[in-house]
Amino acid sequence: MAKRSNEPFAWALFSVGGVWAAFLMPVLLFLYGLAIPLGWIGAPSYEHTLALLRHPITRLVLFFLCSLSLFHWAHRFRYTLYDGLQIKHLNELIFLFCYGGAVVGTALAGYLVWKIPWQ
Amino acid sequence: MEREIKAAPAYFGQPPKWYHLRVSTWWWLGRWQFLRFILRELSSVFVAWSVVIILLLIRATNHGPEAYAQFLEWLKNPLIIALNAPSFLLIMFHTTTWLNLSPKALALGGGGRRIPDLLIAVPNYIAWLVVSTVIGWLVLRD
């Protein structure tokens, strides 16, 4: 039997991650990356942020957003290096760096989301 | 008359070399369409950078009010803001190119007729605006 390719699975993660990043990242980066540090709007208090983050839905959304976005990055960045810089000879190394990074990032996101104080 | 067939061609033992067209590493700088393609691909790096910011926010909140205040100060670092400004533009580029492609991904229709692209893309943009507004409200309603 022919060996099955993992490519459709990687592509599915890339695609779902692309949707999550497209919908959620602009507003989050605008708020935390520009509007709050530049003083356009006041920063939310620690108590409010903690109350928001500890909600189970927030935990799940942040975990999936971080993990799927990283798999989206892994797939796209891998092909950017292949096509853009044409370094196909480093195939295995690039694969390990991209998907390994996404797996490590997913584990880290799971750990941090779990460690948000429950009470 | 039968033709004599040689056992092996003359180049036996020396397989012909593959023809490789040499393409410059910077081929994508030649045309706007190529540069646009690479910029769209590179937007993923800034998606990953946004993940780093979110993880740092969660980590700081886990460590208490002081760490959270330090995180907010760190965000004010001019270098971080200088990185976040183009990051935001490229993530918006990712969002718009992604939503513009939604009619291609959702080729809905029946009876040989497809729903017009705008009828698929516009609801996606509306959904994106609604989601962004809700998140903004949740973060800032303090």
Side-chain angles (χ1 to χ4, degrees):
Chain A
M1 203 172 108
K3 193 184 167 194
R4 282 197 179 178
S5 165
N6 291 325
E7 205 58 30
F9 185 65
W11 198 89
L13 284 176
F14 154 75
S15 186
V16 179
V19 174
W20 277 67
F23 272 83
L24 303 180
M25 281 308 187
V27 63
L28 288 174
L29 191 64
F30 177 76
L31 290 175
Y32 285 100
L34 295 172
I36 291 173
L38 288 172
W40 298 342
I41 44 177
S45 69
Y46 172 76
E47 289 72 23
H48 172 72
T49 305
L50 180 61
L52 180 63
L53 292 190
R54 70 160 40 133
H55 195 283
I57 293 176
T58 315
R59 286 177 202 258
L60 280 175
V61 167
L62 287 178
F63 172 72
F64 282 113
L65 174 65
C66 291
S67 173
L68 292 167
S69 294
L70 286 175
F71 279 100
H72 170 82
W73 161 78
H75 194 77
R76 239 180 188 172
F77 193 60
R78 182 181 149 209
Y79 282 101
T80 309
L81 294 179
Y82 286 174
D83 298 331
L85 299 181
Q86 301 177 58
I87 41 180
K88 287 194 174 99
H89 56 286
L90 297 176
N91 195 350
E92 282 87 4
L93 197 66
I94 292 171
F95 187 91
L96 194 70
F97 172 71
C98 292
Y99 290 105
V103 169
V104 170
T106 297
L108 188 62
Y111 172 76
L112 288 173
V113 161
W114 183 259
K115 291 293 272 186
I116 299 169
W118 290 88
Q119 282 297 319
Chain B
M1 196 176 98
E2 282 185 27
R3 283 181 61 188
E4 187 185 345
I5 299 171
K6 287 184 179 173
Y11 56 80
F12 183 76
Q14 283 185 320
K17 285 183 179 173
W18 294 109
Y19 174 65
H20 282 294
L21 183 64
R22 284 246 165 230
V23 180
S24 158
T25 306
W26 310 106
W27 60 269
W28 40 275
L29 285 173
R31 266 199 213 173
W32 164 238
Q33 286 96 325
F34 296 163
L35 182 62
R36 195 172 172 273
F37 165 74
I38 288 292
L39 281 178
R40 201 190 63 190
E41 299 298 280
L42 275 182
S43 70
S44 65
V45 175
F46 297 96
V47 168
W49 166 242
S50 307
V51 171
V52 172
I53 293 184
I54 293 171
L55 292 179
L56 288 174
L57 167 69
I58 301 173
R59 182 176 169 274
T61 312
N62 289 354
H63 279 85
E66 270 184 38
Y68 177 72
Q70 280 173 5
F71 169 74
L72 292 179
E73 276 305 307
W74 175 77
L75 285 177
K76 290 180 188 166
N77 185 323
L79 282 177
I80 302 299
I81 292 176
L83 184 59
N84 284 336
S87 300
F88 176 68
L89 290 179
L90 275 162
I91 284 180
M92 282 302 296
F93 188 53
H94 163 71
T95 298
T96 49
T97 50
W98 200 268
L99 295 181
N100 288 346
L101 276 175
S102 57
K104 305 279 181 292
L106 288 169
L108 301 176
R113 291 178 63 188
R114 269 183 60 176
I115 294 176
D117 286 359
L118 269 181
L119 280 183
I120 295 175
V122 169
N124 270 287
Y125 273 99
I126 293 171
W128 170 62
L129 285 175
V130 169
V131 167
S132 301
T133 308
V134 169
I135 291 175
W137 177 75
L138 284 172
V139 170
L140 300 172
R141 74 193 160 122
D142 190 10

